[in-house]
Amino acid sequence: MSLLVSLELQRKAFHISVQTALDSNGVTAIYGHSGAGKTTFLRWLAGLEKNTVGNLVFNNEVWQDENTFLPTQQRQIAYVFQDARLFPHLSVLGNLQYAYQRRFNDNGPLLEHVCEWLDMSHLLENNVTTLSGGEQQRVAIARALLSSPRLILMDEPLESLDQQSKEHILQHLEKLHQQLSAPILYVSHNLEEVNRLADHLLVLQQGKVIAQGSMLELSSRTDLSLSHEDNAASIIVATVDRHDEHYQLSELVVDDDLRVFLTAIDHDINTAVRLRIPARDVSITLEQPKNSSILNILPCVIDEIEIQKSGATHARVLVRLHFANQYLLARLTRKSVDRLKLHSGQKVFAQIKTVALLNEHRY
Amino acid sequence: MSPHDLDAILLTLKLAAVTTAILLLLGSPLAWWLANTRCRIKPALEAVVALPLVLPPTVIGFYLLLAFAPSSALGQFWLATTGDSLAFSFSALVIGSVLYSLPFVVQPLQASFEQLPKSLLEAAATMGASLKDQFFSIIMPLSKRSFITAASLGFAHTVGEFGVVLMIGGNIPGETQVLSIALYDKVENLQYTEAHWLAGGLVVFSLLLLATIYRFNRPAAIGSIKGVSH
């Protein structure tokens, strides 16, 4: 996908000014706090915001410039709204057929397949008003897929759901990621959703892009709000290599030669998974510890030590480490940093106390 | 019942049917526009649409009579294009009825369109539905009851029309003599038995029609729309 964006948009409460190029397939999350302009930006991409000045080019096709405004119905996209927006006069099947009969091409999935992926074959005859919030949102996602869109836009589709439905749909979305060829733009202010689903990230703040790039890299940036929250964590990708029945552990490979142990997971060998490593559970030693109880010790290079902003001094600082092409965050006391004379470029060992599985993911 | 009475009944039904059809065709887009526009002239246009509700029908009839006269611009134009005189013709009755019954069709439709969640139309647009497609696949089904109400009220009101017809239609049996005028004739000529038949028939017909409308018009429809798309 290639999406060239240049937008200036003035609304009563805020101003959006975005100039960027989105050129990645897979899931690109548009992340930011509420009021950052995420939804308005997404609606503009869909052609649902009128009276805007901007340029928008999708795969060399002009959607908007000074002379052109391609109406929503001709952009061949799909949009999953925060509220499901199912048609109340149609059954679940009727809603799905509405999209399927108007599909943009024949390369998309069949109705039966989509129902199977999203586990909703038993709902087809139901009236949409009788569905739970989670079920409605699943129907909305299914409806979006059945259009065979060239681009899928999702606006916080899990926002209004309870934790259980959220988890259920997240698992479906993670799987879908592997079955779809259409790129997805996913608006969210929920870091966990972003960490689990996104390959790429666009961070919006007060209507402006403040960072853009690979999710794995951005999630470990110390200068972004992503890693500054109290539960700062880094995400790494690893492949399941071996299950150790005796100790009930799974052994994963990170970048060919490094190994990570995890309490047994039931994923198949060679499945790629995302692991979440909380910064407060990572400590640093200068030499390889020989008699440690900690299983996961990775040789790393210090990439960056967070510089205190605004002159205030804190007890703890965030240190970014890298190994191969992945990143780790460690939260250390300032005293330890001084005592060990840590500096960027230094070779150290990271001791990782806890590693949690984030989700299943294909690479 | 005389053949003349039967003619009057058939003519009345034909007039009401033609008027209702034209009103639905013209009234739907007008109601849609009124429901969605932020244009400044909207209140003025709404007032014009509602005018027949408050004006005595004879006032409308009087102005239409002037407009339809063979000496008027409209009368001349009609004569030139169709070869017939507009005054005292069936076409004149249709034009008069359309104007007179306009609010009964436009107002229920406008109210329904204003309630219709635009979010559903956005969703339909993202699925590739054109505006025309959205009208038939979303707007029409969700406003079904209002369309039935609008059509029934337009029809019933045209059947019950008297003042406008009296002014512009004259009283030509089989051509412009509708039921209400025929009834007036009977009473003028002291034919009370026939008058009873016509009057009673109209009462029963109107009651049946209105009862049907109210039966269809349970408020459930609007409620279920709102429930889904807050």
Side-chain angles (χ1 to χ4, degrees), chain A residues 43 48 72-73 77-79 81 83 85-89 98-99 102 104 128-129 136 143 147, chain B residues 119-120 122-131 133-134 137-138 141-142 224-225 228-230:
Chain A
R43 286 176 54 82
L48 295 171
T72 304
Q73 57 266 27
I77 52 161
Y79 201 119
F81 297 88
D83 47 337
R85 301 198 182 182
L86 302 182
F87 302 131
H89 60 296
Y98 192 95
R102 292 168 178 76
F104 302 117
V128 294
T129 50
Q136 288 194 13
R143 198 172 63 167
S147 292
Chain B
S119 57
L120 295 180
E122 286 186 355
T126 63
M127 282 172 259
S130 64
L131 295 179
D133 188 357
Q134 288 170 36
S137 64
I138 309 288
L142 287 178
S224 69
I225 299 173
V228 172
S229 59
H230 31 104

Side-chain angles (χ1 to χ4, degrees), chain B residues 9-205:
Chain B
I9 292 174
L10 290 178
L11 184 75
T12 305
L13 293 178
K14 182 178 155 199
L15 176 64
V18 172
T19 302
T20 307
I22 293 176
L23 275 175
L24 285 177
L25 280 178
L26 297 181
S28 304
L30 177 60
W32 182 258
W33 186 80
L34 284 175
N36 291 291
T37 187
R38 287 189 194 144
C39 183
R40 278 197 203 147
I41 64 159
K42 175 183 166 176
L45 210 70
E46 281 180 305
V48 170
V49 169
L51 212 51
L53 292 176
V54 291
L55 278 183
T58 42
V59 171
I60 298 170
F62 173 62
Y63 285 117
L64 286 178
L65 188 65
L66 296 183
F68 294 164
S71 54
S72 75
L74 180 63
Q76 296 271 334
F77 171 77
W78 194 272
L79 196 62
T81 45
T82 65
D84 289 321
S85 167
L86 185 55
F88 309 117
S89 70
F90 182 71
S91 304
L93 284 194
V94 171
I95 296 175
S97 306
V98 164
L99 287 174
Y100 185 47
S101 298
L102 191 64
F104 293 85
V105 172
V106 169
Q107 287 187 348
L109 289 181
Q110 186 185 340
S112 166
F113 293 161
E114 278 167 356
Q115 296 248 342
L116 192 91
K118 302 297 171 300
S119 57
L120 295 180
L121 300 181
E122 286 186 355
T126 63
M127 282 172 259
S130 64
L131 295 179
K132 188 177 130 210
D133 188 357
Q134 288 170 36
F135 184 81
F136 288 108
S137 64
I138 309 288
I139 299 171
M140 283 266 282
L142 287 178
S143 313
K144 193 171 67 191
R145 286 175 166 83
S146 300
F147 272 100
I148 292 173
T149 305
S152 314
L153 286 180
F155 191 90
H157 194 248
T158 307
V159 168
E161 187 180 319
F162 178 73
V164 177
V165 183
L166 190 70
M167 297 291 273
I168 62 173
N171 196 356
I172 309 166
E175 177 82 26
T176 61
Q177 191 193 56
V178 296
L179 206 50
S180 54
I181 305 284
L183 173 62
Y184 183 72
D185 265 4
K186 305 285 182 208
V187 178
E188 286 268 274
N189 298 329
L190 301 174
Q191 296 169 297
Y192 276 37
T193 320
E194 289 89 341
H196 266 303
W197 276 109
L198 292 182
L202 260 182
V203 169
V204 171
F205 168 78

Side-chain angles (χ1 to χ4, degrees), chain A residues 257-300:
Chain A
D257 54 344
L258 298 175
R259 292 184 171 262
V260 174
F261 295 91
L262 195 64
T263 34
I265 54 175
D266 53 10
H267 293 74
D268 296 334
I269 304 294
N270 286 331
T271 319
V273 295
R274 287 183 179 191
L275 305 174
R276 182 174 188 276
I277 302 174
R280 69 175 110 80
D281 290 339
V282 178
S283 59
I284 290 178
T285 63
L286 296 182
E287 283 119 40
Q288 177 139 34
K290 298 199 173 64
N291 302 311
S292 174
S293 68
I294 290 176
L295 281 175
N296 294 315
I297 298 172
L298 300 176
C300 297

